[in-house]
Amino acid sequence: MPGPSDQLQEMAARLKAFGVMMRLGHDLFNAPDFQTAAVMAVNNARPVVGFRSSTLLQIRGRKVDILSQYAQPVVNKHSRQAVLQRELLEITGRLEENLEITGADAEKYGNGNAVRELCPDNVTLLLVPLKAPPFMKKPAVQLIWLLEFEGKIPAYAMTAAKLLASSYAEALYCQLIDASRIRAFSRKRMVSFKLIFWLLILAGLVYVMFQPIPEKVNAEFELKAPEITTVYAWFDGPIAECRTPDGKLWKSGDTIKKGDVIARYDTSQLEFRLENARAAIKELQEELDQKERAPFDKDSRESGGDVKLLKARIASAEIAVREAQWYLDHADIVAPCDGILQLADGRAEALIGKAVRTGDKIFEVLSGEGMEVKVPVLESESSILLENPSRITLFLHTSPDTPILADVKEITPAPELTEQRTYCYNLYAYLPPEQAKDLKYGMRGIAKVEGKQVTIGYFLFKSVILYFRGL
């Protein structure tokens, strides 16, 4: 039998071991967070319990997660050992008491593969459930401490594991509760911040939607002459000349005076017709004179009929002469007024030798002071014209950064069909000479037309409706 000194030494050793266990549990309470406490739990107990390896796992419903592994600062959840440990706990489920497993017990747990791989060479597993403290109601999570021993588990190791399990359980569950509260508080605070953020965004959108802005429409415009006189072909025939008095070809943009001959018909056929008609009149007149000088036989009706026929033929020939003379009188196509010449075909070369038909446009004369602005406004955007805007702003393509103000003088009462197969209201504005002195006819750009004040919400809603209607 051991003597009193041996008993005292054994008592001292047990007290020392108990103190170490209490300190280990206390260290978990002082850990900064739950994950740190889980790492300390599987690593610091080895001198007391003497296991080869240990792992801390949690079971939540049917899902098993590994929280920490011995000598592993970071959990490798995809290692073969981790997969087998999770598979084993999925089979055992929640535990009420310690569970000792050896390779001989493999057939008791599923197909036994997990136990056979985890318990080779007489390795023994000890599953220690860390029960929640009494002040906690049944938690949704159960912590399991899995210990691995070489051979049979020593009696002191079993006792130490049970004692540590109680101290570990209280510390780890308290850490878990604090972590859950922190996460819940963070989620609640995040939800509050998100709610405030989206409310501010919504309030900003509502505020912006009711902000008044002037309704604006951008449309292309073209500069035109205030007065445009068009000259058409008098009759069918070829054009022989399109030259100035000094023999040069006319060009679009030349300054012309009233009465200038711009183009001339080819009159060779007309002169031939006129000579033929005059010769026919002369012959018919001579024949008529002979008939009239001959004795008149009252009984001969034939003589009187010939005279009437000759007179009718002479009258017809005289009409032909007047007709040919009219054509010759109108063979010169002259400018009806002073202004700028605009040839219909662009260049005189395209007009010379061309056979025109009656009513074909030969040229235009651009005249008048200042310039006229033509702005076609689409029918879908014509609501801006209800306010009868008095001024518009022009931006030429040649000078897009320089605004030009123009006074509106007319808006067509009905839309017109354009070459692009769209209906547009035409807005006409006027530029005085001082503004138009450096501009040219035909210049184009973008006109900005402003109407009444509308809200941004109304403008966006209108745009969406017009888009889905295909306007």
Side-chain angles (χ1 to χ4, degrees), residues 6-36:
D6 295 334
Q7 291 179 357
L8 288 175
Q9 290 179 358
E10 182 180 358
M11 181 65 67
R14 290 182 178 181
L15 289 175
K16 184 178 180 181
F18 183 75
V20 171
M21 295 179 192
M22 294 295 294
R23 182 171 56 82
L24 290 176
H26 185 266
D27 290 343
L28 298 189
F29 273 108
N30 293 332
D33 52 58
F34 174 76
Q35 187 60 40
T36 304

Side-chain angles (χ1 to χ4, degrees), residues 296-465:
F296 182 72
D297 187 359
K298 295 182 179 181
D299 296 331
S300 176
R301 296 182 178 178
E302 180 180 356
S303 176
D306 291 342
V307 171
K308 291 181 179 179
L309 180 60
L310 287 172
K311 289 182 177 181
R313 291 175 63 186
I314 290 173
S316 178
E318 289 176 348
I319 291 174
V321 168
R322 289 196 297 271
E323 180 184 15
Q325 188 62 51
W326 183 89
Y327 281 124
L328 285 174
D329 293 341
H330 291 83
D332 292 341
I333 305 175
V334 300
C337 59
D338 299 347
I340 305 297
L341 176 65
Q342 180 66 42
L343 294 171
D345 293 322
R347 297 177 62 86
E349 292 89 335
L351 186 61
I352 297 175
K354 178 181 178 181
V356 297
R357 300 179 65 86
T358 305
D360 287 351
K361 184 166 70 172
I362 305 300
F363 62 89
E364 292 178 339
V365 181
L366 311 179
S367 59
E369 295 183 350
M371 285 192 180
E372 186 179 71
V373 184
K374 179 182 178 182
V375 183
V377 179
L378 289 173
E379 186 181 15
S380 59
E381 300 174 340
S382 59
S383 62
I384 197 170
L385 304 178
L386 297 176
E387 295 296 316
N388 293 321
S390 60
R391 305 194 83 184
I392 60 175
T393 307
L394 308 178
F395 297 90
L396 288 167
H397 292 321
T398 56
S399 181
D401 57 338
T402 304
I404 302 173
L405 295 178
D407 295 324
V408 177
K409 66 175 186 178
E410 181 186 355
I411 300 175
T412 55
E416 300 175 2
L417 185 63
T418 65
E419 295 178 355
Q420 291 75 29
R421 309 298 299 172
T422 57
Y423 283 94
C424 296
Y425 287 87
N426 289 323
L427 182 149
Y428 294 95
Y430 178 72
L431 288 177
E434 58 271 15
Q435 286 185 286
K437 61 181 179 179
D438 297 326
L439 305 179
K440 293 183 178 295
Y441 297 130
M443 282 186 168
R444 297 176 180 272
I446 300 297
K448 183 176 292 185
V449 186
E450 292 191 7
K452 62 181 180 180
Q453 294 281 330
V454 297
T455 62
I456 294 179
Y458 167 80
F459 179 78
L460 295 176
F461 179 75
K462 173 187 172 183
S463 301
V464 171
I465 293 297

Side-chain angles (χ1 to χ4, degrees), residues 36-53:
T36 304
V39 173
M40 293 171 60
V42 298
N43 287 279
N44 296 350
R46 191 169 188 272
V48 178
V49 182
F51 52 77
R52 189 176 77 171
S53 177

Side-chain angles (χ1 to χ4, degrees), residues 61-113:
R62 299 184 60 85
K63 183 179 179 182
V64 179
D65 288 325
I66 295 180
L67 301 176
S68 60
Q69 293 175 315
Y70 176 73
Q72 297 292 332
V74 179
V75 176
N76 184 5
K77 296 183 179 181
H78 303 289
S79 65
R80 183 60 180 170
Q81 183 184 21
V83 171
L84 293 173
Q85 288 175 348
R86 289 200 302 269
E87 183 179 342
L88 177 60
L89 261 70
E90 287 173 359
I91 296 172
T92 60
R94 290 174 176 262
L95 299 176
E96 295 297 332
E97 300 293 338
N98 293 354
L99 179 60
E100 185 177 344
I101 301 175
T102 63
D105 304 322
E107 301 302 329
K108 299 179 182 178
Y109 303 98
N111 56 17
N113 292 334

Side-chain angles (χ1 to χ4, degrees), residues 80-154:
R80 183 60 180 170
Q81 183 184 21
V83 171
L84 293 173
Q85 288 175 348
R86 289 200 302 269
E87 183 179 342
L88 177 60
L89 261 70
E90 287 173 359
I91 296 172
T92 60
R94 290 174 176 262
L95 299 176
E96 295 297 332
E97 300 293 338
N98 293 354
L99 179 60
E100 185 177 344
I101 301 175
T102 63
D105 304 322
E107 301 302 329
K108 299 179 182 178
Y109 303 98
N111 56 17
N113 292 334
V115 175
R116 278 191 288 270
E117 290 191 46
L118 289 172
C119 300
D121 302 330
N122 298 323
V123 172
T124 303
L125 299 179
L126 178 62
L127 276 66
V128 180
L130 303 182
K131 298 181 180 180
F135 62 84
M136 290 181 62
K137 295 183 179 179
K138 187 176 181 181
V141 176
Q142 184 182 36
L143 302 178
I144 302 293
W145 190 18
L146 189 152
L147 305 174
E148 182 181 328
F149 294 91
E150 290 281 356
K152 188 176 180 181
I153 302 175

Side-chain angles (χ1 to χ4, degrees), residues 221-291:
F221 73 87
E222 181 182 0
L223 297 181
K224 293 180 173 293
E227 299 177 9
I228 300 176
T229 306
T230 305
V231 177
Y232 301 95
W234 285 97
F235 51 87
D236 297 354
I239 300 297
E241 294 183 6
C242 184
R243 296 180 181 275
T244 64
D246 56 0
K248 296 181 181 179
L249 294 175
W250 285 109
K251 301 187 299 297
S252 294
D254 287 345
T255 301
I256 59 177
K257 298 292 185 180
K258 181 178 180 180
D260 287 346
V261 178
I262 306 302
R264 181 176 288 110
Y265 279 97
D266 184 351
T267 59
S268 57
Q269 291 186 1
L270 295 174
E271 292 172 353
F272 179 75
R273 286 168 54 187
L274 179 60
E275 291 299 326
N276 281 345
R278 286 174 176 173
I281 291 175
K282 185 176 181 181
E283 291 178 0
L284 292 172
Q285 188 64 45
E286 290 177 355
E287 185 177 353
L288 178 61
D289 291 343
Q290 290 178 1
K291 292 287 187 180

Side-chain angles (χ1 to χ4, degrees), residues 144-175:
I144 302 293
W145 190 18
L146 189 152
L147 305 174
E148 182 181 328
F149 294 91
E150 290 281 356
K152 188 176 180 181
I153 302 175
Y156 76 89
M158 185 72 74
T159 302
K162 289 182 179 180
L163 292 174
L164 273 175
S166 176
S167 179
Y168 274 12
E170 187 173 357
L172 289 173
Y173 277 106
C174 288
Q175 287 278 7

